[in-house]
Amino acid sequence: MAKISQKAQTYQEKWEWNIHRAKGVRKNWKDLFRVDLARDFFDGKQNPGYPAEEWITINKIYAHLKAQLPAQYAADPYFYVKLRRSFAPNPFQIALWEKRGKIRQSYLNYLKEELRLKEKVRVCIMDAHFAYGILKVHYKADTVDNPDAGDFISDENGVLYDDDGLPLTEPDTIPINERYVLTRVHPDDFLWDEDASTLYDTWNWVAQCIRMPLSEAKKDPRYNKAALRKLEGK
């Protein structure tokens, strides 16, 4: 059985304590603003205790929030990439950067449609009526075995070396299907540190709860194999 080092154990205990404290702050906040009750009302669970055959729910909360949503996100955003003003203009450089800016502008507007930005932002706006909305922008890639794993990496001048003078070798895996991803994160699956405020420069750390099948986790190189062997999937 693999043993965890003292340093790793201390590091784990530190983060478990940080997460525990942050969850406590979030619970106090949710209780204060009755977040779960508001969500129940939105879902139509509004019967205070009358027999079901004597109660009919007319969900005005759901209807009101749905009616507000188009006004809160009425139009698709359109991205512009513009050059900053320069006091030492170089016509050739300006033309080059303007061309690159137009390419990046087109790409951003393409991604907006391809990644369904408006649809996901609308869900985040609904989340914000009860807690806060979170849209995660990240980069993702799949990996496959590298057929050249272990071979020396070289260019036209020969083998390449690292800073320690050792030859560079091909990695065991290589990325494929590289892409940008927009992911709506449920507010209950996201944490800030206990001292964080609304301004991002006060966030010492953020954390997201990620769930996946055990079979998928075993294929992910980020996770410790010995620790995964002790788990049982749900």
Side-chain angles (χ1 to χ4, degrees), residues 170-188:
E170 292 280 353
D172 294 334
T173 59
I174 53 176
I176 61 170
N177 300 329
E178 300 170 86
R179 59 203 182 275
Y180 292 105
V181 182
L182 297 178
T183 304
R184 173 258 183 174
V185 180
H186 193 281
D188 289 350

Side-chain angles (χ1 to χ4, degrees), residues 2 214-231:
L214 181 57
S215 58
E216 184 178 330
K218 289 180 178 179
K219 299 176 183 177
D220 196 318
R222 295 174 298 174
Y223 303 124
N224 182 277
K225 302 300 181 184
L228 289 172
R229 284 195 290 270
K230 301 177 183 178
L231 299 178

Side-chain angles (χ1 to χ4, degrees), residues 10 13 20 44 123 136-137 145 154 174 176 200 204 206 210 226:
T10 302
E13 290 173 351
H20 170 74
V123 177
K136 178 180 175 182
V137 182
D145 292 335
S154 60
I174 53 176
I176 61 170
Y200 73 90
N204 294 315
V206 295
I210 298 176

Side-chain angles (χ1 to χ4, degrees), residues 3 19 22-23 53 57 72 74 89 93 96-98 109 113 116 149 161 185 197 201 211:
K3 293 184 178 180
I19 291 171
K23 284 184 175 180
E53 62 274 10
T57 298
Q72 292 168 340
Q93 194 71 19
L96 173 63
W97 284 108
E98 282 184 341
N109 287 293
E113 298 292 341
R116 296 154 55 195
Y161 295 85
V185 180
S197 72
D201 57 355
R211 300 173 182 84

Side-chain angles (χ1 to χ4, degrees), residues 187-204:
D188 289 350
D189 288 338
F190 200 83
L191 280 177
W192 285 268
D193 63 280
E194 60 177 314
D195 298 318
S197 72
T198 54
L199 301 177
Y200 73 90
D201 57 355
T202 65
W203 304 349
N204 294 315

Side-chain angles (χ1 to χ4, degrees), residues 6-229:
Q6 184 62 40
K7 181 179 179 180
Q9 183 173 353
T10 302
Y11 187 75
Q12 178 176 335
E13 290 173 351
K14 169 191 171 183
W15 277 105
E16 287 180 349
W17 174 248
N18 287 341
I19 291 171
H20 170 74
R21 295 279 298 181
K23 284 184 175 180
V25 172
R26 183 176 65 185
K27 182 181 184 306
N28 292 338
W29 177 84
K30 287 182 67 177
D31 291 346
L32 176 64
F33 291 98
R34 306 176 77 176
V35 172
D36 292 332
L37 179 63
R39 288 173 178 164
D40 284 344
F41 279 14
F42 179 77
D43 290 337
K45 302 172 184 176
Q46 301 176 19
N47 188 340
Y50 294 103
E53 62 274 10
E54 298 178 8
W55 178 269
I56 297 176
T57 298
I58 301 176
N59 197 343
K60 295 182 178 180
I61 295 175
Y62 179 90
H64 174 69
L65 294 186
K66 285 294 185 179
Q68 279 190 330
L69 188 57
Q72 292 168 340
Y73 193 174
D76 274 333
Y78 188 86
F79 298 101
Y80 295 91
V81 179
K82 299 290 186 180
L83 294 180
R84 288 187 175 181
R85 181 175 297 177
S86 172
F87 294 97
N90 180 326
F92 299 102
Q93 194 71 19
I94 289 175
L96 173 63
W97 284 108
E98 282 184 341
K99 182 177 180 181
R100 292 182 179 179
K102 289 181 180 179
I103 293 173
R104 294 177 182 181
Q105 176 177 305
S106 298
Y107 186 50
L108 285 173
N109 287 293
Y110 162 78
L111 287 177
K112 176 198 70 174
E113 298 292 341
E114 184 70 16
L115 303 181
R116 296 154 55 195
L117 173 65
K118 183 173 183 179
E119 177 183 334
K120 294 175 182 179
V121 168
R122 286 167 71 95
V123 177
C124 293
I125 291 174
M126 294 304 297
D127 288 337
H129 278 94
F130 310 104
Y132 34 79
I134 302 165
L135 186 64
K136 178 180 175 182
V137 182
H138 54 118
Y139 183 76
K140 191 173 182 180
D142 302 321
T143 58
V144 295
D145 292 335
N146 185 359
D148 300 321
D151 293 347
F152 293 125
I153 300 176
S154 60
D155 59 12
E156 63 275 7
N157 298 318
V159 176
L160 300 178
Y161 295 85
D162 62 18
D163 295 337
D164 297 325
L166 299 175
L168 295 174
T169 58
E170 292 280 353
D172 294 334
T173 59
I174 53 176
I176 61 170
N177 300 329
E178 300 170 86
R179 59 203 182 275
Y180 292 105
V181 182
L182 297 178
T183 304
R184 173 258 183 174
V185 180
H186 193 281
D188 289 350
D189 288 338
F190 200 83
L191 280 177
W192 285 268
D193 63 280
E194 60 177 314
D195 298 318
S197 72
T198 54
L199 301 177
Y200 73 90
D201 57 355
T202 65
W203 304 349
N204 294 315
W205 57 266
V206 295
Q208 179 188 354
C209 175
I210 298 176
R211 300 173 182 84
M212 67 175 66
L214 181 57
S215 58
E216 184 178 330
K218 289 180 178 179
K219 299 176 183 177
D220 196 318
R222 295 174 298 174
Y223 303 124
N224 182 277
K225 302 300 181 184
L228 289 172
R229 284 195 290 270

